């Protein structure tokens, strides 16, 4: 096209009609308009000199930095002469399809108002949209008063949490109540359910181990609420769902997955996910299932909205307000990858984006009357047969890693991770790996010394381990020493969990052995003021949650936390890895996260083995 002007300088140029059509480059102008109707945002799209059904393809060419885009009539759009950046960014942010753009009008959830407000020029917003934004900023959470029956027991920060939840409800938004473990997230949510019982039934989805806890908490703080614990056999669950007089339905993630066909036909005013990190993996069936429930409001409760990866936050928000953080591909491009590359500005931008919808308080900020938590590392020095076995396994693993090329590391990964677990078990007690081992265990001796000191001081102790087999070893040692104890693992029936917790808090049993996975959530064990972590877990947040079983509201004594570590071993270096990996969540939501076993790179594994 540019050459035609030069040709005309030296002679006469004769063109055909078909060429003239090609040469008549269009310069379309795209405009967007915003209005609000019935709490839904209406986005209108118009384009001069361009059919709307061709707008999606035009924007696609623009994103690919093409110089020209050919329209259906054969003419070309010179993309260097038009600015489509605003329209392309808006379409990407909202995930608009070709059908959306072709219709020229799209209804968008109200929670996207603030994204649109910042992206669309004021001239393209009508009075209804501007008024909606102004009214949102005018909402004062302090106008909400909790129900009279719970108001006297709510601490000031819990009342503020209730007010925050109430304001989000009236504005049509979802949110994450991300208070640190032990601050009473369930009580704040129960207060909201009680205040809004007239709006219809609510659904609480939680880990199976917590369904009875929730019923107990509601009975304690809001006995007037009619509660259906949807558990038991399939027929029993079906009968409960058919009853329409319940205020609150409680079920587990697994049972929701099984019964989703029925739940999707019900209408809830509110769906609440407890321990919402259960949906942190966006690809799991459970993460997809919770989004199929019809609920006007959605909330998530979790003390760890980010445990290992920023994508976990995206998955929770995709449940709360689908599209708020755009598509996952867009989120990864804008936030996740830059944050992984160390871009602090990307982390700050993400934090600012989600801040209005995440409420996070720490115990040391709001519980000035909570006793101190004293942490101490207790080192156990491996010797004799235990040290020989450890060094032999460590050396074999180091050789295997050094021989594993990066491009085939994935094939060896599971075998290497299994060997890492055996290495950690040898640190605890070689008997966990070798049935015929009869040597000693330095760590077991150290734990029993702590037990003896605790019993002598008439203190009660929680002992956490990732390995239930190690809890069995400790239990046998306690039997030999005639020290009474309780045991709680994933195999403990749900109803018995509550009985064990209540008994431990009331009686004189000095030791409670708990598997880290089974006991990290939903337990109130303020009867203990000594916590022992028998083996370090990759994720520091998981250990902190376990510690908070004792260091929480209701605790009247200082809590001492012992981390028992085999010196100069992989355990020693796991502590350093926890610290190095804990900055990510702190940047985004103000909570230290950790590292997951599955996210470890080859370099991390080599570093764990030391020199």
């Amino acid at each position: 096209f540019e050459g035609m002007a030069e040709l005309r300088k030296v002679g006469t140029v004769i063109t055909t009609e078909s060429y003239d059509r090609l040469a008549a480059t269009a310069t379309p102008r795209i405009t967007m308009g915003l209005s609000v109707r019935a709490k839904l945002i209406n986005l209108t799209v118009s384009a001069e000199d361009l059919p709307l059904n061709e707008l999606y393809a035009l924007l696609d060419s623009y994103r690919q930095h093409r110089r020209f885009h050919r329209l259906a009539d054969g003419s070309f759009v010179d993309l260097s002469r038009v600015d489509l950046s605003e329209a392309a960014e808006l379409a990407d942010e909202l995930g608009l399809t070709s059908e959306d753009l072709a219709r020229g009008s799209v209804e968008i959830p109200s929670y996207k108002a603030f994204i649109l407000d910042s992206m669309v020029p004021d001239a393209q917003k009508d009075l209804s949209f501007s008024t909606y934004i102004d009214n949102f900023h005018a909402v004062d959470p302090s106008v909400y008063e909790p129900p009279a029956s719970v108001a006297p027991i709510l601490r000031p920060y819990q009342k503020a949490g209730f007010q925050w939840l109430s304001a989000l409800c009236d504005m049509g938004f979802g949110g994450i109540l991300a208070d640190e473990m032990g601050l009473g997230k369930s009580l704040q949510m129960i207060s909201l359910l009680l205040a809004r019982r007239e709006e219809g039934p609510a659904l609480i989805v939680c880990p199976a181990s917590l369904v009875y806890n929730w019923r107990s908490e509601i009975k304690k703080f809001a006995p007037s609420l009619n509660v259906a614990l949807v558990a038991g056999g399939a027929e029993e669950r079906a009968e409960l769902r058919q009853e329409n007089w319940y205020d609150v339905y409680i079920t587990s993630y697994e049972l929701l997955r099984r019964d989703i066909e029925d739940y999707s036909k019900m209408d809830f005013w509110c769906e609440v996910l407890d321990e919402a990190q259960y949906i942190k993996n966006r690809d799991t069936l459970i993460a997809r299932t919770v989004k199929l429930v019809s609920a006007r409001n959605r909330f998530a409760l979790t003390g760890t909205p980010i445990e290992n990866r920023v994508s976990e936050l995206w998955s929770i928000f995709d449940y709360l307000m689908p599209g708020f953080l755009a598509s996952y591909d867009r989120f990864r491009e804008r936030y996740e990858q830059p944050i992984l590359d160390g871009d602090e500005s990307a982390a700050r931008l993400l934090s600012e984006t989600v801040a209005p919808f995440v409420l996070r308080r720490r115990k040391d900020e709001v519980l000035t009357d909570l006793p101190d938590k004293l942490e101490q590392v207790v080192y156990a020095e491996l010797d004799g047969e235990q040290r020989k076995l450890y060094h032999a396994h460590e050396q074999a693993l180091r050789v295997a890693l050094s021989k594993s090329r990066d491009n085939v590391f994935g094939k060896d990964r599971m075998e290497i991770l299994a060997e890492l677990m055996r290495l950690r078990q040898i640190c605890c007690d070689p008997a966990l790996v070798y049935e015929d081992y009869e040597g000693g265990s330095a760590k077991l001796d150290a734990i029993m010394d702590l037990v003896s000191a605790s019993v002598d001081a008439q203190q009660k102790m929680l002992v956490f381990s990732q390995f239930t087999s190690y809890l069995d070893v400790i239990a046998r040692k306690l039997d030999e020493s005639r020290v009474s104890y309780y045991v709680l693992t994933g195999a403990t029936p749900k109803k018995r969990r509550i009985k064990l917790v209540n008994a431990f808090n009331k009686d004189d049993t000095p030791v409670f052995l708990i598997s880290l996975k089974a006991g990290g959530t939903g337990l109130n064990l303020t009867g203990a003021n000594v916590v022992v972590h028998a083996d370090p877990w990759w994720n520091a947040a998981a250990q902190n949650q376990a510690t908070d079983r004792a260091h929480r509201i209701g605790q009247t004594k200082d809590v001492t936390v012992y981390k028992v570590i085999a010196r100069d071993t992989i355990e020693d270096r796991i502590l350093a890895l926890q610290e190095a990996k804990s900055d990510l969540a702190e940047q985004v939501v103000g909570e230290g996260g950790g590292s997951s076993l599955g996210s470890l790179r080859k370099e991390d594994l080599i570093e764990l083995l030391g020199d």
Side-chain angles (χ1 to χ4, degrees):
F1 294 137
E2 292 86 345
M4 292 299 292
E6 299 301 318
L7 289 172
R8 287 192 173 99
K9 292 178 181 178
V10 296
T12 301
V13 178
I14 301 172
T15 61
T16 64
E17 290 183 7
S18 59
Y19 177 82
D20 290 339
R21 285 196 299 273
L22 293 178
T25 55
T27 54
R29 181 173 175 268
I30 301 170
T31 58
M32 307 279 187
L34 292 174
S35 60
V36 176
R37 298 173 188 168
K39 291 188 177 181
L40 285 174
I41 300 170
N42 184 260
L43 172 69
T44 57
V45 184
S46 60
E48 297 178 9
D49 300 326
L50 179 73
L52 284 177
N53 60 4
E54 295 193 54
L55 178 53
Y56 187 86
L58 175 68
L59 293 178
D60 190 51
S61 293
Y62 181 81
R63 293 186 195 96
Q64 297 181 44
H65 306 290
R66 293 177 180 170
R67 172 66 191 277
F68 294 97
H69 174 79
R70 188 169 187 171
L71 299 176
D73 65 1
S75 62
F76 284 86
V77 176
D78 185 349
L79 295 177
S80 67
R81 297 168 56 187
V82 294
D83 182 8
L84 301 177
S85 57
E86 181 182 295
E89 184 180 6
L90 198 61
D92 287 345
E93 187 69 44
L94 299 176
L96 300 181
T97 65
S98 57
E99 290 79 9
D100 292 334
L101 293 172
R103 284 197 303 271
S105 179
V106 186
E107 286 190 341
I108 298 169
S110 57
Y111 54 75
K112 296 186 180 180
F114 307 99
I115 296 174
L116 293 169
D117 188 43
S118 63
M119 297 179 67
V120 176
D122 290 340
Q124 297 178 25
K125 305 168 188 171
D126 79 351
L127 180 61
S128 65
F129 183 84
S130 300
T131 302
Y132 180 83
I133 293 294
D134 291 341
N135 287 342
F136 173 83
H137 290 302
V139 170
D140 181 7
S142 65
V143 302
Y144 299 96
E145 286 297 326
S149 60
V150 296
I153 62 175
L154 292 180
R155 293 175 177 243
Y157 75 88
Q158 291 174 328
K159 179 180 178 181
F162 162 80
Q163 293 170 329
W164 178 77
L165 292 168
S166 300
L168 287 181
C169 277
D170 286 342
M171 291 181 288
F173 299 131
I176 303 176
L177 184 55
D179 285 343
E180 196 172 26
M181 286 290 178
L183 292 182
K185 293 188 289 295
S186 58
L187 174 56
Q188 296 171 67
M189 181 53 64
I190 289 170
S191 300
L192 180 73
L193 299 179
L194 183 60
R196 306 218 168 205
R197 66 185 305 175
E198 300 302 324
E199 297 191 21
L203 175 66
I204 295 174
V205 188
C206 61
S209 60
L210 300 185
V211 291
Y212 292 96
N213 294 61
W214 266 100
R215 184 175 68 175
S216 177
E217 291 285 286
I218 293 175
K219 184 178 180 180
K220 177 180 178 181
F221 296 115
S224 63
L225 289 177
N226 297 311
V227 178
L229 200 161
V230 191
E235 292 185 6
E236 182 183 355
R237 300 198 304 272
E239 290 177 3
L240 287 169
R241 287 192 299 272
Q242 290 170 5
E243 300 286 348
N244 59 10
W245 56 275
Y246 289 110
D247 298 310
V248 182
Y249 294 80
I250 304 171
T251 194
S252 69
Y253 286 102
E254 177 59 28
L255 291 179
L256 178 72
R257 184 186 65 79
R258 294 185 196 176
D259 302 335
I260 188 57
E261 185 176 345
D262 288 342
Y263 279 111
S264 62
K265 298 174 185 176
M266 301 173 70
D267 183 35
F268 298 96
W269 83 265
C270 180
E271 181 185 13
V272 180
L273 301 189
D274 189 21
E275 302 298 340
Q277 65 271 19
Y278 267 65
I279 65 164
K280 65 183 181 181
N281 187 338
R282 68 188 186 282
D283 296 322
T284 61
L285 187 56
I286 287 178
R288 297 197 298 270
T289 298
V290 296
K291 301 170 190 175
L292 300 177
V293 175
S294 174
R296 300 189 295 280
N297 298 92
R298 288 176 172 176
F299 293 102
L301 311 182
T302 174
T304 53
I306 297 178
E307 287 188 317
N308 305 303
R309 301 178 179 87
V310 181
S311 59
E312 296 166 2
L313 188 66
W314 181 90
S315 183
I316 295 177
F317 267 101
D318 192 49
Y319 151 76
L320 293 172
M321 299 182 288
F324 173 70
L325 291 178
S327 67
Y328 174 67
D329 288 341
R330 175 77 167 166
F331 175 84
R332 178 173 175 78
E333 176 186 354
R334 176 182 292 180
Y335 298 115
E336 186 175 19
Q337 193 57 53
I339 291 173
L340 287 174
D341 293 338
D343 187 341
E344 293 184 2
S345 62
R348 185 167 55 253
L349 178 61
L350 177 57
S351 178
E352 292 170 353
T353 300
V354 302
F357 311 105
V358 180
L359 183 60
R360 172 75 176 171
R361 278 83 57 90
R362 291 184 174 83
K363 285 184 293 189
D364 58 3
E365 296 171 342
V366 297
L367 292 183
T368 55
D369 57 339
L370 192 66
D372 289 339
K373 179 174 66 175
L374 312 172
E375 297 191 5
Q376 180 178 341
V377 176
V378 176
Y379 285 104
E381 196 82 41
L382 302 189
D383 58 10
E385 190 68 16
Q386 185 177 17
R387 173 157 289 279
K388 290 179 183 177
L389 287 171
Y390 176 82
H391 281 307
H393 276 264
E394 185 182 59
Q395 183 60 28
L397 183 55
R398 188 182 291 112
V399 171
L401 274 173
S402 64
K403 290 182 178 179
S404 177
R405 301 191 306 276
D406 289 337
N407 61 342
V408 297
F409 177 55
K411 299 178 182 178
D412 304 327
R413 188 180 189 84
M414 293 310 298
E415 183 178 342
I416 288 173
L417 294 179
E419 183 59 32
L420 268 177
M421 185 180 71
R422 285 190 286 271
L423 208 56
R424 294 177 57 229
Q425 289 175 323
I426 290 173
C427 289
C428 294
D429 191 325
L432 300 181
V433 178
Y434 297 98
E435 293 183 5
D436 58 349
Y437 178 77
E438 296 181 354
S441 166
K443 180 180 286 195
L444 185 58
D445 291 341
I447 291 173
M448 290 308 298
D449 286 344
L450 292 174
V451 170
S452 179
S454 180
V455 171
D456 289 344
Q458 295 185 322
Q459 296 175 318
K460 294 166 75 74
M461 169 189 287
L462 309 180
V463 180
F464 289 98
S465 174
Q466 185 215 344
F467 306 112
T468 56
S469 55
Y470 192 38
L471 294 179
D472 293 337
V473 171
I474 298 172
R476 288 195 292 271
K477 200 71 174 177
L478 291 173
D479 288 334
E480 292 175 9
S481 302
R482 297 189 178 185
V483 176
S484 59
Y485 59 89
Y486 292 123
V487 180
L488 190 152
T489 68
T492 304
K494 304 174 189 66
K495 291 182 179 180
R496 180 161 171 75
R497 285 171 59 99
I498 296 178
K499 292 181 180 179
L500 288 173
V501 169
N502 291 337
F504 179 78
N505 284 332
K506 294 176 181 178
D507 65 23
D508 296 327
T509 303
V511 179
F512 205 149
L513 305 178
I514 308 174
S515 67
L516 188 65
K517 185 174 182 180
T521 57
L523 301 179
N524 187 335
L525 291 164
T526 52
N529 68 314
V530 177
V531 178
V532 174
H533 290 289
D535 44 85
W537 182 228
W538 313 95
N539 192 331
Q543 288 188 187
N544 292 337
Q545 288 184 46
T547 296
D548 289 338
R549 300 307 98 216
H551 193 241
R552 58 192 297 124
I553 295 174
Q555 181 57 262
T556 59
K557 303 176 182 177
D558 289 348
V559 175
T560 304
V561 183
Y562 296 105
K563 298 179 181 179
V564 186
I565 301 296
R567 188 189 294 276
D568 295 329
T569 69
I570 187 175
E571 290 191 341
D572 222 350
R573 292 179 282 274
I574 285 175
L575 290 183
L577 180 65
Q578 284 179 351
E579 184 176 345
K581 294 286 187 177
S582 65
D583 295 336
L584 175 60
E586 180 69 33
Q587 283 182 298
V588 179
V589 294
E591 159 64 0
S595 173
S596 74
L597 188 59
S599 67
L600 294 177
R601 303 167 300 165
K602 179 178 177 180
E603 294 78 8
D604 295 324
L605 297 174
I606 292 174
E607 186 176 344
L608 281 172
L609 297 177
D611 298 329

